[in-house]
Amino acid sequence: MEYVEKIIDEKIQGKALVTENKKNNTKKLFIESYGCQMNMNDSEIVAAILDKEGYNTTQILEEADLVLVNTCSIREKAETTVRKRLQKYNAVKQVNKNMKVGVLGCMAERLKEKFLEEEKIVDLVVGPDAYKDLPNLLEEVNAGRDAVNVILSKEETYGDISPVRLNSNGVTAFVSITRGCDNMCTFCVVPFTRGRERSRDPKSILEEIQSMVDRNFKEITLLGQNVDSFLWYGGGLKKDFGKASEMAQATAVNFAQLLDMCATEFPKTRFRFATSNPQDISLDVIHAIAKHKNICKYLHLPVQSGSNNMLKAMNRQHTREEYIELIDNIFKIVPEMSLSQDMIVGFCGETEEDHQDTLDLMKYVKYDFGFMFTYSERPGTLAAKKMVDDVPFATKKRRLQEIIDLQQEHALYRTQQHLGKTEEFLIEGTSKKNPNEWKGRNTQNTVAVFDKGDYKLGDFVMVKVEDCTSATLKGTVVGYSDNN
């Protein structure tokens, strides 16, 4: 699983999510999400389903009738964090006897027996493909029975659910276009917790985007475990595409075509997407980015390691040389492209030479951003079953720091390339450090801060970049862009 949100070192973020509430809803839902942006989007789907069951969201845990935690199994740290939260929930439950506690998402599928039968710390367990069954499961819980549904689906995409936007800034939103993953990377548990790849009907995707545009959202991020695998041929798993009729295959829509459709139909809306996979992305996608001004010039392209030995051990299905060739082609087609990476440090059998190969690759690419982690063994993966986690922790930490230091150097180099330029930024919110400043992002996903002036949230503005750190640009607004 490639992370969408920027989590550096070993920090996992959790959020209590809330939205506008309906007056007629009488029950209160406290929902907290951990891990990738797909989980955040899933929580919005859950909130929409439970909204129809009479639940309003709340940020006050103690007053909740139903507490749900949407979980991540990608790394051990995430699971440890969630278990601590469950202890907190159950302490509150001792006071609020009517409160029900449930686990959603990837940990739900992996640890269902432990949660319900062995540890008895939750009332219901719901996997990523079973959220529509929540009303039935809650009836089981209210009848005094444990409730579980972690069945993985071949069809479910939630394309018919209009997500409730939780903790929204009203400017940017996420739209899921695929679910599941067929890339059996040896370190990753996602194919086992989220199932096989299937894509969502483009018509429903465009309808959801239209609903966001109607509400004045300005930027949409298309989400998937692997967006480049998007392939709609009438429904079904991607692996079954070869069995489809000639007509279905001839009229199928791939990701490059979907991108073109979105950008063409909504020319005033900016589009991003995540996450890509080096083995699956096509140059047609890069040409689509070059063709449309409103497709952001930013690509999250995880490599995980710069060593062919490690890439083979990880079952990444691409070599170092193929990755470099892809990078070269990307910059030829879109010279101003911004790139970010995922890097796993200290995978099974990683030598010092392998580590140096990773550093050398980073020096070649000079990524704008980085998402870097030490390897932690995940139960159920092929690596856990067949490989030895033999790199000492101290060595992992030292190598990780070297990678972080190099990424910081490259990040500063990339931000410095913006100095003196006047670029378009979308105002997303108030700067965390200065309430008198806005923060916004340019097409390369780089953050800038600037005086608020008379500008407002959601405006596209032109900013002259005058200073920078390795993470943030500083500038002065010179006027509106022509995108307003």
Side-chain angles (χ1 to χ4, degrees):
M1 169 66 176
E2 327 294 10
Y3 265 42
V4 176
E5 59 179 325
K6 190 171 185 180
I7 306 173
I8 300 298
D9 204 352
E10 295 202 2
K11 186 176 182 181
I12 300 293
Q13 297 289 345
K15 275 189 175 181
L17 305 175
V18 69
T19 186
E20 293 182 7
N21 290 322
K22 290 184 178 179
K23 292 181 180 179
N24 294 334
N25 286 358
T26 59
K27 294 174 283 188
K28 294 184 178 180
L29 165 68
F30 179 94
I31 184 166
E32 200 166 35
S33 292
Y34 289 84
C36 69
Q37 192 58 56
M38 282 291 290
N39 271 13
M40 305 295 177
N41 189 248
D42 277 3
S43 291
E44 294 181 334
I45 290 169
V46 168
I49 293 169
L50 292 177
D51 172 76
K52 295 180 180 179
E53 298 299 312
Y55 285 89
N56 280 336
T57 55
T58 178
Q59 287 184 307
I60 303 173
L61 173 63
E62 290 75 10
E63 70 177 22
D65 300 289
L66 175 62
V67 176
L68 298 176
V69 57
N70 200 344
T71 62
C72 173
S73 274
I74 195 71
R75 292 166 54 247
E76 184 178 2
K77 177 68 174 178
E79 290 197 1
T80 300
T81 302
V82 168
R83 284 188 171 278
K84 289 180 180 178
R85 292 301 291 159
L86 287 172
Q87 292 174 6
K88 167 69 173 178
Y89 300 158
N90 278 281
V92 175
K93 193 176 179 182
Q94 298 303 310
V95 178
N96 183 356
K97 300 293 185 181
N98 294 322
M99 177 190 287
K100 305 300 180 186
V101 175
V103 170
L104 311 176
C106 295
M107 276 180 74
E109 199 286 330
R110 199 175 76 77
L111 296 174
K112 50 188 178 295
E113 288 88 0
K114 277 185 172 293
F115 284 148
L116 278 175
E117 299 168 15
E118 297 177 27
E119 300 177 11
K120 299 184 184 300
I121 55 175
V122 299
D123 301 294
L124 70 159
V125 176
V126 190
D129 290 345
Y131 299 142
K132 287 180 182 176
D133 198 30
L134 269 165
N136 297 326
L137 294 172
L138 287 171
E139 286 185 7
E140 291 292 302
V141 170
N142 291 331
R145 296 184 290 270
D146 289 335
V148 58
N149 186 343
V150 294
I151 297 172
L152 294 176
S153 170
K154 295 181 179 181
E155 293 86 23
E156 185 61 77
T157 63
Y158 299 109
D160 58 334
I161 301 290
S162 179
V164 170
R165 301 299 166 179
L166 299 167
N167 285 14
S168 173
N169 61 4
V171 177
T172 61
F174 297 87
V175 174
S176 293
I177 65 169
T178 70
R179 296 186 75 83
C181 184
D182 287 349
N183 295 324
M184 302 294 289
C185 300
T186 57
F187 56 81
C188 186
V189 74
V190 166
F192 308 106
T193 59
R194 285 189 171 266
R196 304 301 296 264
E197 288 178 5
R198 63 272 189 199
S199 298
R200 183 175 165 187
D201 186 343
K203 183 174 181 289
S204 75
I205 294 170
L206 294 173
E207 287 173 350
E208 184 175 339
I209 294 171
Q210 182 66 65
S211 72
M212 295 293 96
V213 172
D214 291 344
R215 292 163 58 187
N216 213 31
F217 281 81
K218 300 298 181 66
E219 181 180 287
I220 303 294
T221 299
L222 305 177
L223 283 181
Q225 260 74 38
N226 183 10
V227 290
D228 302 288
S229 283
F230 179 89
L231 185 62
W232 173 259
Y233 60 97
L237 299 177
K238 183 181 179 182
K239 72 179 183 66
D240 293 333
F241 177 65
K243 302 175 185 177
S245 68
E246 289 186 15
M247 178 62 74
Q249 293 189 34
T251 57
V253 178
N254 64 25
F255 183 55
Q257 292 167 323
L258 177 68
L259 264 184
D260 186 73
M261 292 164 62
C262 292
T264 301
E265 186 157 340
F266 305 100
K268 291 291 188 179
T269 303
R270 282 210 311 202
F271 287 94
R272 302 186 188 276
F273 56 89
T275 291
S276 293
N277 192 300
Q279 73 196 50
D280 295 306
I281 193 169
S282 74
L283 293 185
D284 287 343
V285 170
I286 310 304
H287 283 294
I289 296 172
K291 175 183 175 182
H292 294 281
K293 179 182 177 182
N294 60 328
I295 302 179
C296 290
K297 308 302 185 282
Y298 165 65
L299 192 62
H300 184 51
L301 196 62
V303 63
Q304 307 299 2
S305 175
S307 160
N308 277 333
N309 292 332
M310 290 296 96
L311 292 173
K312 184 176 180 180
M314 293 174 174
N315 194 33
R316 288 294 286 172
Q317 302 297 310
H318 66 84
T319 65
R320 170 192 177 94
E321 291 74 23
E322 289 168 340
Y323 187 86
I324 289 174
E325 181 182 2
L326 174 61
I327 295 295
D328 289 343
N329 284 326
I330 288 170
F331 282 127
K332 284 178 185 176
I333 299 168
V334 185
E336 68 273 33
M337 186 73 82
S338 166
L339 294 173
S340 61
Q341 45 84 350
D342 281 356
M343 210 70 76
I344 294 176
V345 182
F347 188 65
C348 308
E350 184 186 70
T351 65
E352 201 62 33
E353 183 179 358
D354 295 325
H355 173 58
Q356 289 302 318
D357 283 346
T358 295
L359 294 174
D360 288 343
L361 178 67
M362 292 178 65
K363 291 172 184 176
Y364 184 86
V365 178
K366 293 184 173 63
Y367 295 97
D368 295 69
F369 314 101
F371 307 83
M372 301 152 286
F373 314 95
T374 55
Y375 170 67
S376 61
E377 185 178 277
R378 307 312 299 128
T381 61
L382 187 61
K385 295 175 181 177
K386 303 283 188 178
M387 302 177 186
V388 179
D389 183 8
D390 56 356
V391 180
F393 183 70
T395 301
K396 289 181 182 180
K397 295 297 285 185
R398 188 260 301 169
R399 291 175 183 171
L400 176 64
Q401 192 58 55
E402 290 177 3
I403 285 175
I404 290 174
D405 290 345
L406 184 59
Q407 180 55 55
Q408 287 288 97
E409 178 185 322
H410 291 161
L412 180 60
Y413 167 79
R414 290 298 185 187
T415 56
Q416 287 173 339
Q417 306 311 300
H418 298 276
L419 292 175
K421 296 179 180 178
T422 300
E423 301 175 347
E424 180 188 77
F425 287 81
L426 172 60
I427 298 176
E428 296 181 353
T430 299
S431 166
K432 292 181 179 179
K433 294 184 178 181
N434 186 342
N436 297 315
E437 291 182 333
W438 288 122
K439 68 173 180 179
R441 292 178 192 272
N442 62 8
T443 186
Q444 286 94 0
N445 203 39
T446 307
V447 173
V449 293
F450 39 86
D451 288 341
K452 285 187 172 181
D454 295 326
Y455 300 98
K456 63 183 184 300
L457 190 69
D459 282 344
F460 286 98
V461 293
M462 301 303 296
V463 176
K464 184 175 182 181
V465 180
E466 300 161 333
D467 198 4
C468 70
T469 67
S470 62
T472 308
L473 306 176
K474 176 80 174 178
T476 301
V477 182
V478 297
Y480 292 102
S481 83
D482 59 8
N483 202 37
N484 287 290

